[in-house]
């Protein structure tokens, strides 16, 4: 995979973390560089580590799966991307058909005010795991296409960190308005990369 493809893959994988970073930003009365770094680095580290774990597991079985590697990459990436798109669509419909959106928004803001300053290291750890499960499956796909894993993990981790850092600040400004859009874009990117891998292996290798 090219460096550009890895960056796009990192962007796609980071959309869940991006959305959660916005939510985390809403949990603070005041955003500092230290807090924004804590959130973004947590997600970046997990997003870099999970593909490595998946890659190591995938390499153990590479000889057995190399004849169908492009199918594995296509299925995994399309499944992950489709799930993200479905989640974004469901969230958008839920907002559209809410009976009293103003009251709901007010209630959410009230709950957020009660939760200020409660974003703990333990919560960040759990969030890091939850938002990087997809990257574990992607690591298996990278093993299937024999990718440079050091570059892949570093690119995915750095990309996630860079994207999530400003998202914490965006959380204080825009609330959750970008969440469904971020998930939708991320899903489309993952599906696109899966299709590209499949086409290259089927027709150009």
């Amino acid at each position: 995979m090219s460096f550009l493809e890895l960056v796009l893959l990192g962007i796609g994988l980071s959309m869940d973390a991006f959305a959660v970073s916005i939510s985390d930003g809403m949990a603070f009365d005041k955003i500092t560089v230290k807090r924004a770094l804590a959130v973004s680095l947590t997600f970046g580290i997990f997003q870099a580590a999970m593909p490595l774990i998946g890659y190591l597991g995938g390499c153990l079985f590479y000889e057995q799966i190399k004849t169908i590697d492009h199918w594995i990459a296509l299925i995994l990436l399309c499944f992950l991307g489709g799930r993200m798109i479905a989640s974004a669509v469901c969230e958008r419909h839920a907002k559209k058909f809410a009976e009293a959106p103003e009251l709901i928004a007010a209630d959410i803001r009230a709950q957020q005010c009660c939760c200020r300053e409660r974003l703990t290291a333990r919560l960040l750890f759990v969030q890091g795991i939850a938002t990087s499960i997809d990257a574990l499956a992607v690591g298996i796909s990278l093993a299937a296409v024999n990718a440079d894993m050091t570059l892949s993990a570093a690119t995915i981790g750095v990309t996630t960190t860079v994207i999530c850092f400003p998202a914490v600040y965006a959380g204080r400004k825009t609330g959750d308005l970008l969440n469904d859009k971020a998930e939708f874009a991320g899903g489309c990117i993952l599906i696109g990369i899966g299709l590209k891998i499949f086409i290259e292996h089927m027709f150009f290798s």
Side-chain angles (χ1 to χ4, degrees), residues 43 46 50 124-134:
F43 291 137
F46 273 96
M50 285 296 193
L124 277 177
F125 182 82
V126 173
Q127 288 180 347
I129 294 176
T131 57
S132 61
I133 296 299
D134 290 352

Side-chain angles (χ1 to χ4, degrees), residues 65-79 141 144-145 194 197-199 201-203:
I65 66 174
K66 65 180 180 181
T67 57
I68 57 171
D69 54 4
H70 47 286
W71 284 102
I72 293 175
L74 176 67
I75 292 170
L76 284 175
L77 291 175
C78 285
F79 170 76
S141 299
V145 297
I197 290 173
F198 178 79
I199 292 171
H201 279 239
M202 283 291 290
F203 303 107

Side-chain angles (χ1 to χ4, degrees), residues 13 16-17 20 39 41-51 53 83 121-137:
L13 288 172
D16 280 346
V20 174
V39 173
L41 284 174
T42 296
F43 291 137
I45 290 171
F46 273 96
Q47 290 283 6
M50 285 296 193
I53 296 172
R83 190 176 65 178
R122 180 181 298 178
L123 177 58
L124 277 177
F125 182 82
V126 173
Q127 288 180 347
I129 294 176
T131 57
S132 61
I133 296 299
D134 290 352
L136 182 68

